[in-house]
Amino acid sequence: DSGVTQTPKHLITATGQRVTLRCSPRSGDLSVYWYQQSLDQGLQFLIQYYNGEERAKGNILERFSAQQFPDLHSELNLSSLELGDSALYFCASSVADSGSSQYFGPGTRLTVL
Amino acid sequence: AQSVTQLGSHVSVSEGALVLLRCNYSSSVPPYLFWYVQYPNQGLQLLLKYTSAATLVKGINGFEAEFKKSETSFHLTKPSAHMSDAAEYFCAVSDRRGSQGNLIFGKGTKLSVKP
């Protein structure tokens, strides 16, 4: 158990819908990262927050957005969902904004029908 | 831009044999380097991390990796494979410069262990 929690574990929805994925970092960690894992793209970095502020952006679509709240939990919002958005979405956390080890949650499996 | 190449998408070894998973990075400045393991239907677990303190890094479950700057490599080894080592292994890099900590992952290597 990494100490990072993600809900829900599974999510099945239809095209065009909007969903919210939630992540709680390890106690004491200030950075939260979101990654997408799919068969064709592999593991791709989406976005990083550090102590409530956006720190880095990766291959995140404009239909996707995220935020980190004062209690440091984070939410990833995916809207206007397409079939190709079906993937595993991981959250990771670390103590610092760079250079420290990242600990991954169990992931949310999103299926878009 | 940084990148990671993992040679061999599938590696098969016999139980008790040496495990060698290859990773090469591309970066003008040696980055932070990581190995993660992913068991089926689970998240990624950190095996080990290179920061520059020592070129040979020991990790969990008997794994170790050696940083070789001249070869831009960070190969993962284990002297004797166990059935429980069957999983997918990912090499990742993170830039030392700046204040962004995101990881760039290789495509992964699936390790099979034959009895």
Side-chain angles (χ1 to χ4, degrees):
Chain A
D1 184 356
S2 67
V4 179
T5 60
Q6 288 187 250
T7 55
K9 195 171 174 62
H10 299 278
L11 201 46
I12 301 174
T13 188
T15 54
Q17 294 298 304
R18 172 189 167 95
V19 297
T20 297
L21 312 184
R22 183 187 167 102
C23 167
S24 292
R26 294 187 321 159
S27 177
D29 284 358
L30 298 179
S31 260
V32 168
Y33 309 78
W34 287 97
Y35 294 88
Q36 180 193 59
Q37 185 178 33
S38 62
L39 280 174
D40 52 344
Q41 298 291 326
L43 272 158
Q44 300 262 320
F45 165 70
L46 296 177
I47 197 164
Q48 174 195 4
Y49 279 84
Y50 177 74
N51 204 19
E53 293 187 359
E54 183 182 303
R55 187 55 64 96
K57 239 176 178 174
N59 298 324
I60 188 165
L61 300 170
E62 283 192 16
R63 301 182 284 109
F64 295 1
S65 65
Q67 55 182 326
Q68 186 179 28
F69 295 86
D71 67 351
L72 301 177
H73 90 272
S74 177
E75 292 181 357
L76 179 67
N77 299 296
L78 315 177
S79 61
S80 303
L81 285 167
E82 302 174 359
L83 295 178
D85 297 328
S86 295
L88 257 175
Y89 291 85
F90 287 110
C91 167
S93 72
S94 67
V95 169
D97 55 355
S98 67
S100 54
S101 299
Q102 293 181 28
Y103 295 89
F104 282 72
T108 293
R109 183 172 292 280
L110 173 67
T111 303
V112 183
L113 301 174
Chain B
Q2 293 184 326
S3 65
V4 179
T5 302
Q6 290 185 241
L7 293 174
S9 57
H10 287 87
V11 169
S12 182
V13 301
S14 296
E15 195 172 17
L18 171 72
V19 175
L20 171 61
L21 305 182
R22 299 177 188 274
C23 172
N24 288 88
Y25 68 90
S26 172
S27 174
S28 56
V29 174
Y32 296 111
L33 291 153
F34 305 81
W35 275 100
Y36 283 86
V37 61
Q38 185 178 29
Y39 298 98
N41 300 314
Q42 292 188 28
L44 283 80
Q45 181 182 9
L46 179 66
L47 279 177
L48 48 80
K49 171 188 174 184
Y50 168 75
T51 58
S52 75
T55 56
L56 185 62
V57 182
K58 293 190 183 301
I60 62 170
N61 302 339
F63 284 93
E64 61 183 37
E66 186 173 9
F67 171 72
K68 290 188 178 180
K69 185 178 177 181
S70 60
E71 299 177 7
T72 60
S73 69
F74 190 56
H75 301 332
L76 183 71
T77 60
K78 182 173 181 177
S80 176
H82 293 257
M83 297 297 292
S84 59
D85 295 327
E88 190 157 20
Y89 293 79
F90 292 93
C91 181
V93 299
S94 178
D95 201 338
R96 287 182 183 273
R97 300 161 293 186
S99 58
Q100 300 172 355
N102 57 286
L103 296 172
I104 298 169
F105 286 91
K107 293 189 182 300
T109 298
K110 260 195 190 141
L111 175 67
S112 301
V113 182
K114 298 175 290 188

